[in-house]
Amino acid sequence: MLRLKSNSCVHKTGFYGTPFAMFAVIALLFLFAMARESRADSISVVYLNRNWSLKNQNETLTVSDIILPSGVYSALYGEQVLDSWNDVDMRWIAYDNWTYTNKFMVNTTTLRNIRYKNLTLYGIDTVAEVRLNHYLLGRTDNMFVRYSYEISQFLQEENLLEIEIMSPVYAARQRANELKAQGFDVPPNCPSARYHGECHMNMLRKMQASFSWDWGLAAPSMGIWKSVALEYYDVAVIRDVDVATWKNTTHWIMDIRVFMDCAGRQNFYGELTFYAVELLKNPLIISDHVKTPISYKAPVIEFQVAFPIDEVTLWWPNGYGGQKLYPLHFTLKAWLDKRGTSLRNKIASQKSISIGFRTVELVEDPVMEGSGNTFLFKVNDKEIFMKGSNYIPSHILPEFSRDKTRIKHLLQAAKDTHQNMIRVWGGGIYESEYFYEMADSLGIMIWQDMMFACAMYPVTDSFLASVRKEVIQNAQRIAHHPSIAIFATNNENEVAIAQNWYGTVEERFKTEYRQLYIATVIHELKALEHATRPLPLVSSPSNGKESARDNYISANPQDPNYGDVHFYDIFKDGWNPSIYPRPRFASEYGFQSLPSLQTWQRTLGPEDNLADLIEHRQHHPLGMMAITPLVRIHFPLPLPEDANYLEALVYFSQISQAMATKTETELYRSLRDTEHRTMGALYWQLNDVWVAPSWSAIDYYGNYKLLHYWSKEFLAPIAITALYESKIRSLNVSLICDLFEINTDGLQVSMNIYKWSQLFPKNTTTWPVTMVPNGVHYDKVIPVDDIFQGEFTNYNSFVEFVLQRNNMALARTFYFPASFSSVQAIKDPQIQILISNVFCSSQVNVKMNSYSLTLNAKYPAIFVYIELILEKHPDIKHYKFSKNGFMMTSSSCVLHLEFEAKECVRLNAKDFKIMTVNQFMKL
């Protein structure tokens, strides 16, 4: 049955109604498809992404048949820079100059009547000269900028395009030396010696981490990391579309701006056709500029469309609702003569995007208790606790960072662990369109840093001019995505000045900071400013809007009563909640661990010593002291000379990281309804760029560390916490609920006391509880001495808290009163594994393999860790279990395994390795 419904839209000033029925959707889909077909009057775009060659400066090395995107490292050696000691051994690549060459043909006769022939370079990394037929078109110096050149006067039938890229190491050094000659120093000049990196990364507008970081290698990349295109048109081309959504009492409104490029210095006329196949029966014709010209200096068309509220489905963050996306299509006709144009002209440009209807607010109101302001996000008028992680580039080589398979794997992994926000960190890249589209579809909101991190930057005229282009181009490209929650201009540069990280006490550094971020970056972001969008943050961490009182450089940008904080402390016990701040929002925090030995073996050279390679790749200035002290507090770590030292160190480091991050995250989640009003927890970091000691939850190959497995529980929408408060020697038991609605009938908590020597609880206490929708119920404060008494001691027992309804567990957590080095009566659990079910299904180009595994044990097993031995199955790149690193307190448990492979894979019990803490203890 067809259901007729009313529809209305507003263009500039008025509303008009149109009937809307099912057959109209079908008709519009057809029109939408037709609009996207090639037309005689459409702008022609020819991509020059094939048949490139590469040579170094003295032409001793050449590579041919290169396909874009490309980089010098990858063109020569693929991803081998990530293996063995190649971060050092291949560094010579970055010290040479390299030239990309492309020979292409054009039919100049057919192009004769086309006004503009444009060469557009979407991403050149980084300092380069661009020449066509030996004529210099221009120079690039910003890998984040799109460069366009009008080439009509240089174009021939046979053409030679050359892009000569200078060594980024020497280019950065040259710029630093030029500034020093003028009496200016822009610190930090060089990274810590432990980084094995290169100096002056802040001199270039390229991925800052490519010169090294404390989690990543130095691979000073060069290349054409995005597409190169020839564009043939007569007047203008659509580059980007910005859509801001908001609502009044009756309608959702889209404020739309269509941004164009025009090669000529002449005003022009235009007509825009707007298609919204799921929202409008007919295309909307924007004819305001048929008679009134568009300025070539700021070519933009603005209009407004409205839809009744009840005809729009909202977009929600992950865990709160669906992610409805609406496709929009724009066709522009542009001409120069006021009288119109002929059909043969290349006047039609097209652009398609998808949007979601949602509102986002950053609420910074005075708190009800104490001092300071809140710092919380509201989405669709609902307070949302932002929980997630920080995202670094998915690859150290920018040309690989756009890999869709890797991006999808990482973002899906984030969704699967209930994350609703990811912070795109400021030392990497502005991510690909696919990245933001995936975030839109998965409901993962993006805290988007601009690409400045941990450094001062020059404020020369040329540098600031380049930054202005970078900011506006990238902001206009991504701002329409419903996943974009907020922009921040930099990572940790305000706190670097405030705490004098780099010897920046001179007043000029504060002046230059404000010149770069306030007068330049924030100024350019104003072009995307809208009443319904949060204002950009000047830095992270910062005191939020309060920092304006301090002219944007506060004495303490880490004030927990304002804004967001970053927190790291390797000198204290990360399992102890008392060491952590009580902030409004924790946007960065974490602990290091080592990837698995299997992962190390995949990157190890045949002559390499694993211990030496680990030491080389540990870039933390304090070396392995970033990991081992916390491990030794809680676990019986063998001595370095013992045969099982590295195996234990890897395993214990992952448990330590998972437990510390769990503790810190649970604390922040539990504080939301206290006077601290903590409303965000984004741990550092989701992913890795190579195999190394790092803060990541997922290793470079895509396999989960224990942190990622655990995060599925400690970020779950319903959770129970039992956090130790040392001052009163008690456990604070809290029940966390992120859901807008919760059935509280039949809820209860069971406190189970176990002995290390026996399966199943020896004592159980149960009590009824309630929960607060979208909030925290603070249930009990239980003295530890009331739990561990009589036959139960700190050394022979531990306790489990289970939130349940009708004997079904909804959430659980454990408390361990003593270090695992000192507990008593531990026994060998004698775990056995059985394969109970196998399933293999066909997907596109791969087979999805699924296994059900049953584990049996005779005694409690501490943090059961199971690995699939990949050496026997090289076709399997990564896999995931339903859980890992878990406490086994019953005689059997079932878990599931999934992986993709080219074929259906047959596994047996010998294909798995199981570890427990028990095996490292004196039994």
Side-chain angles (χ1 to χ4, degrees):
M1 186 175 94
L2 294 179
R3 181 175 66 89
L4 295 177
K5 58 181 181 179
S6 64
N7 199 348
S8 63
C9 65
V10 58
H11 168 222
K12 294 293 186 183
T13 57
F15 287 89
Y16 61 90
T18 58
F20 189 54
M22 191 69 72
F23 70 87
V25 175
I26 299 172
L28 279 170
L29 286 171
F30 174 76
L31 288 172
F32 183 75
M34 291 294 292
R36 301 193 68 176
E37 290 183 0
S38 177
R39 312 165 14 162
D41 63 348
S42 291
I43 288 169
S44 296
V45 179
V46 179
Y47 286 96
L48 301 178
N49 287 346
R50 294 182 175 274
N51 303 316
W52 288 83
S53 62
L54 176 69
K55 63 183 178 182
N56 64 339
Q57 184 167 336
N58 60 13
E59 301 188 21
T60 57
L61 280 173
T62 60
V63 183
S64 57
D65 298 324
I66 295 172
I67 299 175
L68 303 185
S70 172
V72 178
Y73 275 97
S74 59
L76 293 175
Y77 298 110
E79 297 182 83
Q80 290 183 43
V81 69
L82 305 179
D83 294 334
S84 188
W85 295 70
N86 288 344
D87 61 310
V88 174
D89 295 342
M90 290 184 177
R91 193 71 56 83
W92 59 270
I93 294 172
Y95 300 156
D96 208 342
N97 299 330
W98 299 83
T99 300
Y100 279 88
T101 303
N102 185 278
K103 296 178 180 179
F104 63 95
M105 304 285 291
V106 298
N107 188 331
T108 55
T109 301
T110 61
L111 300 179
R112 185 175 303 155
N113 295 320
I114 297 175
R115 185 180 300 269
Y116 299 119
K117 296 87 175 175
N118 217 50
L119 174 69
T120 295
L121 313 171
Y122 284 89
I124 304 297
D125 183 13
T126 293
V127 180
E129 283 190 358
V130 182
R131 299 186 292 269
L132 180 62
N133 300 324
H134 306 295
Y135 290 97
L136 177 65
L137 298 181
R139 295 181 173 88
T140 72
D141 65 356
N142 190 325
M143 73 175 284
F144 308 123
V145 164
R146 177 185 65 248
Y147 291 89
S148 290
Y149 304 103
E150 213 293 307
I151 59 173
S152 295
Q153 61 180 316
F154 308 118
L155 203 58
Q156 304 170 4
E157 292 278 344
E158 298 182 9
N159 297 276
L160 175 67
L161 176 60
E162 298 172 290
I163 300 177
E164 182 180 356
I165 304 177
M166 288 65 176
S167 160
V169 176
Y170 290 122
R173 182 185 302 175
Q174 178 182 347
R175 295 188 177 199
N177 289 339
E178 289 172 355
L179 285 174
K180 287 179 181 177
Q182 301 172 40
F184 292 99
D185 185 44
V186 186
N189 291 312
C190 297
S192 164
R194 288 203 64 94
Y195 288 19
H196 311 293
E198 298 293 348
C199 300
H200 309 300
M201 57 111 181
N202 50 347
M203 292 293 104
L204 301 182
R205 293 310 301 141
K206 72 183 270 87
M207 179 165 60
Q208 299 290 269
S210 68
F211 273 37
S212 76
W213 218 263
D214 54 8
W215 40 258
L217 70 160
S221 54
M222 296 161 283
I224 309 174
W225 73 293
K226 294 185 181 181
S227 293
V228 173
L230 295 172
E231 300 165 332
Y232 305 128
Y233 63 96
D234 280 324
V235 182
V237 58
I238 298 176
R239 286 296 181 205
D240 298 296
V241 176
D242 182 41
V243 180
T245 59
W246 57 284
K247 64 178 180 177
N248 56 30
T249 57
T250 60
H251 286 76
W252 271 99
I253 298 97
M254 292 193 297
D255 285 338
I256 301 174
R257 288 182 287 181
V258 179
F259 299 101
M260 297 159 283
D261 267 1
C262 53
R265 300 179 63 82
Q266 187 176 349
N267 294 344
F268 60 93
Y269 301 89
E271 181 181 81
L272 186 74
T273 304
F274 170 61
Y275 302 84
V277 295
E278 296 185 46
L279 296 166
L280 293 174
K281 176 183 177 182
N282 297 309
L284 180 63
I285 309 299
I286 310 301
S287 56
D288 296 41
H289 297 287
V290 170
K291 299 298 182 182
T292 303
I294 300 167
S295 171
Y296 74 89
K297 294 181 180 179
V300 61
I301 294 176
E302 301 182 58
F303 63 102
Q304 192 177 81
V305 189
F307 310 96
I309 283 179
D310 61 359
E311 295 178 6
V312 170
T313 300
L314 293 183
W315 183 96
W316 286 97
N318 179 33
Y320 294 90
Q323 289 79 46
K324 174 61 179 176
L325 297 172
Y326 290 90
L328 308 179
H329 182 73
F330 304 82
T331 297
L332 169 74
K333 289 184 178 181
W335 60 91
L336 293 174
D337 192 332
K338 188 174 184 178
R339 295 170 297 181
T341 185
S342 64
L343 288 177
R344 65 180 177 79
N345 294 132
K346 298 290 186 182
I347 61 171
S349 178
Q350 302 179 31
K351 182 78 174 182
S352 296
I353 64 170
S354 292
I355 63 102
F357 287 91
R358 56 93 181 107
T359 60
V360 179
E361 303 171 69
L362 176 59
V363 180
E364 296 184 82
D365 293 337
V367 295
M368 298 293 291
E369 302 176 30
S371 62
N373 298 329
T374 61
F375 189 92
L376 62 90
F377 287 91
K378 275 188 175 181
V379 181
N380 298 329
D381 300 320
K382 297 283 190 178
E383 291 187 3
I384 303 288
F385 188 99
M386 293 300 171
K387 53 188 181 181
S389 57
N390 285 255
Y391 186 93
I392 62 175
S394 65
H395 206 288
I396 198 65
L397 301 178
E399 61 271 22
F400 290 143
S401 67
R402 302 161 61 81
D403 180 80
K404 291 182 178 181
T405 301
R406 183 180 282 113
I407 290 170
K408 182 178 180 180
H409 176 71
L410 291 172
L411 294 187
Q412 184 65 52
K415 177 183 174 68
D416 291 345
T417 53
H418 313 292
Q419 298 186 38
N420 58 33
M421 177 175 274
I422 281 178
R423 177 171 171 253
V424 176
W425 169 74
I429 59 173
Y430 304 96
E431 293 292 333
S432 66
E433 195 63 23
Y434 180 78
F435 174 93
Y436 298 104
E437 290 171 354
M438 280 299 301
D440 292 344
S441 66
L442 297 174
I444 298 174
M445 305 207 77
I446 303 298
W447 172 314
Q448 177 69 54
D449 282 0
M450 310 311 282
M451 294 302 118
F452 301 88
C454 299
M456 305 299 103
Y457 290 88
V459 290
T460 62
D461 290 344
S462 60
F463 189 89
L464 294 180
S466 182
V467 167
R468 280 190 283 271
K469 289 182 181 178
E470 168 191 333
V471 170
I472 195 61
Q473 283 187 10
N474 285 282
Q476 285 181 353
R477 176 173 66 90
I478 68 176
H480 72 273
H481 288 280
S483 56
I484 296 292
I486 197 165
F487 289 104
T489 75
N490 71 77
N491 171 78
E492 296 184 347
N493 292 340
E494 180 189 352
V495 71
I497 288 180
Q499 297 179 2
N500 194 30
W501 290 4
Y502 310 121
T504 52
V505 293
E506 294 178 42
E507 189 63 28
R508 81 166 177 92
F509 289 109
K510 294 182 179 181
T511 300
E512 292 174 356
Y513 177 93
R514 296 180 181 113
Q515 188 176 357
L516 174 58
Y517 300 115
I518 306 302
T520 304
V521 178
I522 291 288
H523 178 77
E524 294 303 316
L525 287 175
K526 286 182 181 297
L528 281 302
E529 192 173 301
H530 193 276
T532 63
R533 287 175 173 160
L535 293 175
L537 300 170
V538 178
S539 188
S540 177
S542 78
N543 291 339
K545 73 175 187 179
E546 183 70 12
S547 63
R549 295 176 179 269
D550 303 316
N551 201 7
Y552 302 102
I553 302 178
S554 302
N556 178 21
Q558 297 261 46
D559 190 331
N561 294 320
Y562 301 93
D564 65 312
V565 305
H566 297 185
F567 181 80
Y568 299 91
D569 192 336
I570 65 171
F571 298 107
K572 295 177 181 176
D573 181 3
W575 296 27
N576 183 353
S578 67
I579 75 166
Y580 299 114
R582 271 60 178 168
R584 305 294 186 217
F585 196 110
S587 57
E588 208 184 293
Y589 60 93
F591 297 83
Q592 278 198 346
S593 71
L594 293 161
S596 71
L597 290 181
Q598 284 197 114
T599 295
W600 281 105
Q601 290 299 326
R602 293 169 72 174
T603 199
L604 204 63
E607 306 299 325
D608 290 343
N609 177 279
L610 178 55
D612 291 343
L613 190 64
I614 291 174
E615 177 67 19
H616 169 69
R617 295 190 176 197
Q618 172 53 283
H619 286 187
H620 195 289
L622 295 178
M624 293 304 291
M625 290 292 290
I627 295 177
T628 54
L630 182 57
V631 168
R632 291 195 182 279
I633 288 174
H634 295 282
F635 296 105
L637 182 65
L639 296 174
E641 57 267 25
D642 293 336
N644 62 346
Y645 173 73
L646 287 180
E647 180 181 55
L649 180 61
V650 166
Y651 174 45
F652 290 157
S653 74
Q654 289 201 22
I655 301 172
S656 293
Q657 177 194 36
M659 183 64 83
T661 309
K662 172 182 185 289
T663 300
E664 189 168 1
T665 305
E666 288 181 341
L667 174 68
Y668 296 147
R669 293 188 72 188
S670 73
L671 294 175
R672 68 172 292 175
D673 291 339
T674 68
E675 69 273 18
H676 305 291
R677 292 290 279 134
T678 305
M679 284 297 292
L682 310 178
Y683 71 76
W684 184 270
Q685 65 205 67
L686 180 67
N687 55 310
D688 249 337
V689 297
W690 68 336
V691 180
S694 82
W695 293 259
S696 76
I698 302 175
D699 74 25
Y700 169 72
Y701 296 111
N703 286 304
Y704 299 171
K705 293 181 180 179
L706 292 186
L707 169 57
H708 196 74
Y709 282 111
W710 285 30
S711 67
K712 189 174 183 178
E713 294 189 4
F714 68 70
L715 293 177
I718 294 177
I720 182 171
T721 66
L723 297 169
Y724 180 68
E725 188 170 351
S726 55
K727 289 183 179 179
I728 58 175
R729 286 185 45 79
S730 297
L731 297 180
N732 290 324
V733 179
S734 301
L735 306 176
I736 299 170
C737 178
D738 290 336
L739 306 177
F740 295 147
E741 296 179 359
I742 180 70
N743 177 13
T744 60
D745 294 342
L747 289 178
Q748 60 183 21
V749 167
S750 292
M751 183 177 71
N752 302 316
I753 305 176
Y754 291 85
K755 283 194 172 182
W756 288 113
S757 57
Q758 300 174 41
L759 292 171
F760 305 108
K762 296 292 292 179
N763 182 282
T764 296
T765 304
T766 301
W767 61 91
V769 295
T770 189
M771 297 192 79
V772 178
N774 203 27
V776 181
H777 171 65
Y778 302 98
D779 188 53
K780 284 183 181 294
V781 177
I782 306 175
V784 169
D785 291 341
D786 289 353
I787 301 173
F788 302 102
Q789 58 180 323
E791 65 176 306
F792 304 112
T793 72
N794 289 353
Y795 302 102
N796 70 6
S797 306
F798 62 98
V799 63
E800 173 192 44
F801 293 90
V802 184
L803 172 65
Q804 55 196 8
R805 177 188 288 118
N806 301 326
N807 296 319
M808 178 179 292
L810 303 179
R812 71 180 70 239
T813 192
F814 290 88
Y815 171 68
F816 308 103
S819 76
F820 292 99
S821 301
S822 60
V823 298
Q824 301 167 352
I826 295 291
K827 296 184 178 182
D828 179 0
Q830 301 179 38
I831 295 178
Q832 292 184 329
I833 184 170
L834 299 173
I835 296 175
S836 50
N837 192 25
V838 181
F839 181 72
C840 183
S841 62
S842 296
Q843 297 188 355
V844 180
N845 300 323
V846 297
K847 303 285 187 181
M848 176 58 73
N849 290 258
S850 302
Y851 279 77
S852 292
L853 309 174
T854 299
L855 271 59
N856 297 315
K858 293 185 177 180
Y859 300 99
I862 308 171
F863 301 132
V864 178
Y865 176 66
I866 182 168
E867 278 188 328
L868 175 59
I869 302 173
L870 296 178
E871 185 179 0
K872 301 178 181 180
H873 305 283
D875 184 35
I876 303 172
K877 303 306 179 185
H878 51 76
Y879 60 88
K880 66 178 180 181
F881 291 103
S882 54
K883 61 179 179 179
N884 215 339
F886 54 92
M887 294 293 296
M888 191 165 176
T889 55
S890 60
S891 57
S892 67
C893 72
V894 176
L895 65 155
H896 304 282
L897 165 68
E898 290 184 355
F899 58 86
E900 293 180 352
K902 295 179 181 178
E903 305 293 341
C904 295
V905 178
R906 296 190 65 84
L907 301 176
N908 57 54
K910 293 182 179 179
D911 289 309
F912 298 93
K913 178 181 179 180
I914 297 176
M915 297 176 65
T916 67
V917 175
N918 307 54
Q919 73 192 64
F920 294 93
M921 305 182 69
K922 296 179 181 179
L923 305 180

